[in-house]
Amino acid sequence: MAARLGPRQEPHDDDAAPGRFVDWVLARRADEDMGSLQIRISPQGRTSPKKKANVWIRYAARRVVGSFSLRLRDAGGPLAVKLPAGLVRATSIEIDLSNRTLRLPPAGSATYESLTELLLFSVRFAAGDDRGALGDLVTSCCPRLRTLRVVVASGLRYLALRAEALEELEVSFASCLRTLDVTAPNLRLVKVKRCATDVVRIVAPRLEIFMSSYGLLPLPDLDIPQDCLASVRRLNGISVDMHGKYHRATYFGLWLMEKCHGVEHVNVMLRHRLEDYHAPHVQLLDLTSEAAAPIVSITRMIVRPIEVPDRYLVASVSALLTRFPCLRSLSVRIHGTKRGTLWPKCFCDHTAYSDKCEIHRKVALGLLEEVEIAGFTGADEEMKLVSMLFQSSNSIKRMALRGDAIRHQHLMKLPSSDRGCWNFAEQVLNWTCYAPEMSATLVD
């Protein structure tokens, strides 16, 4: 049996009704096992049943053999929810506390032997649990855990995992986290987002997908052995700090693409990161340098310019693409491009604008077939981007320009190629290559 309990199921209309209704339902179950249990408490202008939360969790530990979910969205006051010690039979636990305190059982006092999924959302780790308690729980009490997600967490400073069965790990918006240290031989997916870590150490020889928004994390702080990087097939959310054709090598996005020799699909953010104009000189490296070796394993790429001034858009994208001659699919999502000529001062202002935008190395994408540009408005810099892509490849079969501001008149201004034609659809401009036999006739 599965049960889902929420405030709309209340049989009474007094302040204590939500909690009393849950108690009533669980009492009717007596000592019977339950396949799954979901409890949702949302803001209803009533007194919070917060005192009952730990009672419900203890009940779930004894009787739920499938999934248990507790979400407290009410406007109640302070609360400390305790994960129970002893034997817990659930296979999946989801806790969402709206930034309330979560207390973990002491290492060795709990047995979560059936647990395969632990999801913690919007929790505040109790004082004393900030240095290793979560890692100890997973390592010593959860031998079958395959998925761990910690999303929006405060008070968690240190997370060390030694987990044989772990396959998926996400740690996002953990503002206090300083060290993430993971050894997991079966780990395949890692997502680390918006955490103020000093050290990220991952030993996972089967790692396939690495997702990160650590565009500002210096290289020495990322420690992944080369034999673990070799198995990676997808990088998502990584950042490259671009200033025209130049980039800062102290940011690990490009480094990851170079070191993950088997990676095929990349989702990369291009940033134009501002620094103090008067700061000490920052070294910029030319991405288009002839000495820069091509990265040939990557065949699919999504590029998202984030806070890039529009005057640098084509130079930044072009410089990046010079390193990836084997691309077959390219999507450029330019929603984050900054419009206009006004832009705060940046350390890169010491380098001449003409130099930053002059690409000496030809962009050659001889295998490129599919192109998408999202957020297209018809601006001059976007037209130059379309032109650059046609000039870089004779193998493009389809190009789609998508945007809310697209109008039929844009067809007259678009760069094109005599190998195909443009067609207008609602909020989309599509270019399609002629069939091979038609192309041959046109050439004749």
Side-chain angles (χ1 to χ4, degrees):
M1 175 182 176
R4 181 173 180 174
L5 309 178
R8 294 184 180 180
Q9 296 170 295
E10 305 153 15
H12 304 288
D13 193 32
D14 58 82
D15 287 350
R20 189 165 60 234
F21 175 70
V22 176
D23 290 342
W24 175 77
V25 171
L26 298 184
R28 287 178 60 88
R29 298 290 304 165
D31 292 332
E32 296 181 34
D33 287 344
M34 186 176 294
S36 65
L37 174 62
Q38 300 179 32
I39 300 175
R40 308 283 191 267
I41 302 297
S42 301
Q44 299 291 325
R46 295 187 172 97
T47 302
S48 167
K50 57 182 182 296
K51 295 181 180 179
K52 298 286 188 178
N54 289 307
V55 175
W56 300 333
I57 290 180
R58 290 193 294 271
Y59 175 91
R62 296 192 308 270
R63 295 301 170 198
V64 175
V65 296
S67 62
F68 171 65
S69 176
L70 174 65
R71 293 185 181 180
L72 298 181
R73 298 289 189 180
D74 67 307
L79 167 68
V81 170
K82 301 177 183 179
L83 285 184
L87 177 64
V88 176
R89 304 170 66 198
T91 59
S92 174
I93 295 178
E94 177 186 353
I95 303 291
D96 185 340
L97 298 183
S98 298
N99 200 34
R100 291 179 175 83
T101 299
L102 177 68
R103 295 190 183 278
L104 303 176
S109 67
T111 303
Y112 289 60
E113 61 182 18
S114 299
L115 191 66
T116 61
E117 182 180 60
L118 178 60
L119 313 176
L120 304 177
F121 298 99
S122 190
V123 298
R124 179 184 298 275
F125 286 89
D129 288 347
D130 58 344
R131 294 197 58 84
L134 179 59
D136 291 343
L137 176 69
V138 171
T139 301
S140 63
C141 304
C142 307
R144 293 182 174 85
L145 191 69
R146 295 198 298 267
T147 301
L148 173 63
R149 291 195 175 94
V150 182
V151 180
V152 186
S154 59
L156 180 66
R157 299 182 180 277
Y158 180 83
L159 179 57
L161 300 171
R162 304 293 181 264
E164 185 78 22
L166 191 64
E167 297 177 0
E168 297 185 12
L169 171 66
E170 177 182 357
V171 184
S172 298
F173 300 96
S175 57
C176 299
L177 187 65
R178 291 296 176 263
T179 299
L180 176 63
D181 185 353
V182 182
T183 298
N186 290 297
L187 188 63
R188 299 182 183 275
L189 183 150
V190 173
K191 181 176 181 180
V192 185
K193 183 176 182 181
R194 304 290 179 89
C195 301
T197 30
D198 298 321
V199 176
V200 175
R201 185 180 302 109
I202 299 173
V203 179
R206 295 187 179 182
L207 187 62
E208 295 179 359
I209 302 174
F210 185 77
M211 307 169 67
S212 172
S213 64
Y214 269 88
L216 304 181
L217 181 65
L219 272 175
D221 294 338
L222 180 66
D223 183 3
I224 305 179
Q226 182 60 52
D227 60 340
C228 297
L229 292 175
S231 62
V232 174
R233 295 294 178 266
R234 180 166 182 162
L235 296 170
N236 195 4
I238 61 173
S239 298
V240 178
D241 189 48
M242 298 290 298
H243 299 259
K245 67 180 181 182
Y246 293 103
H247 81 105
R248 276 193 285 184
T250 50
Y251 296 83
F252 73 58
L254 191 65
W255 178 85
L256 274 174
M257 289 187 277
E258 292 172 338
K259 297 299 182 182
C260 297
H261 297 152
V263 70
E264 299 169 352
H265 186 180
V266 170
N267 185 324
V268 58
M269 293 183 289
L270 294 189
R271 297 181 180 273
H272 186 104
R273 191 69 182 182
L274 295 174
E275 297 286 355
D276 185 355
Y277 182 72
H278 301 290
H281 179 66
V282 177
Q283 184 182 15
L284 293 174
L285 301 180
D286 186 354
L287 258 186
T288 66
S289 169
E290 294 294 337
I295 301 173
V296 297
S297 65
I298 295 176
T299 59
R300 299 181 61 197
M301 177 177 285
I302 297 173
V303 179
R304 294 183 292 158
I306 303 295
E307 298 182 347
V308 174
D310 57 356
R311 67 182 185 273
Y312 290 124
L313 176 64
V314 174
S316 295
V317 173
S318 298
L320 181 71
L321 294 180
T322 60
R323 300 292 304 278
F324 303 94
C326 296
L327 285 181
R328 294 182 178 274
S329 174
L330 173 66
S331 176
V332 182
R333 302 177 182 179
I334 56 180
H335 306 283
T337 302
K338 295 293 185 179
R339 308 292 178 182
T341 57
L342 294 178
W343 188 250
K345 288 185 176 181
C346 177
F347 68 87
C348 76
D349 293 347
H350 295 297
T351 303
Y353 170 76
S354 58
D355 179 31
K356 286 181 285 189
C357 293
E358 186 176 3
I359 309 296
H360 298 290
R361 185 176 176 179
K362 178 177 173 57
V363 181
L365 303 172
L367 301 177
L368 187 61
E369 297 180 352
E370 304 279 345
V371 176
E372 176 195 46
I373 300 178
F376 187 83
T377 65
D380 290 344
E381 196 75 1
E382 297 166 5
M383 296 293 190
K384 293 176 183 177
L385 179 62
V386 173
S387 180
M388 181 274 291
L389 291 171
F390 276 127
Q391 292 172 15
S392 70
S393 177
N394 288 323
S395 59
I396 297 175
K397 295 180 180 179
R398 286 172 289 275
M399 181 182 293
L401 311 180
R402 308 180 188 278
D404 296 339
I406 285 181
R407 299 293 182 268
H408 193 278
Q409 55 266 32
H410 285 128
L411 282 170
M412 303 301 295
K413 301 178 182 180
L414 279 171
S416 189
S417 166
D418 58 8
R419 297 185 304 107
C421 63
W422 287 101
N423 292 290
F424 175 73
E426 185 177 358
Q427 297 182 344
V428 182
L429 288 166
N430 291 301
W431 182 88
T432 307
C433 182
Y434 295 126
E437 58 273 13
M438 184 178 297
S439 299
T441 302
L442 291 173
V443 171
D444 292 342

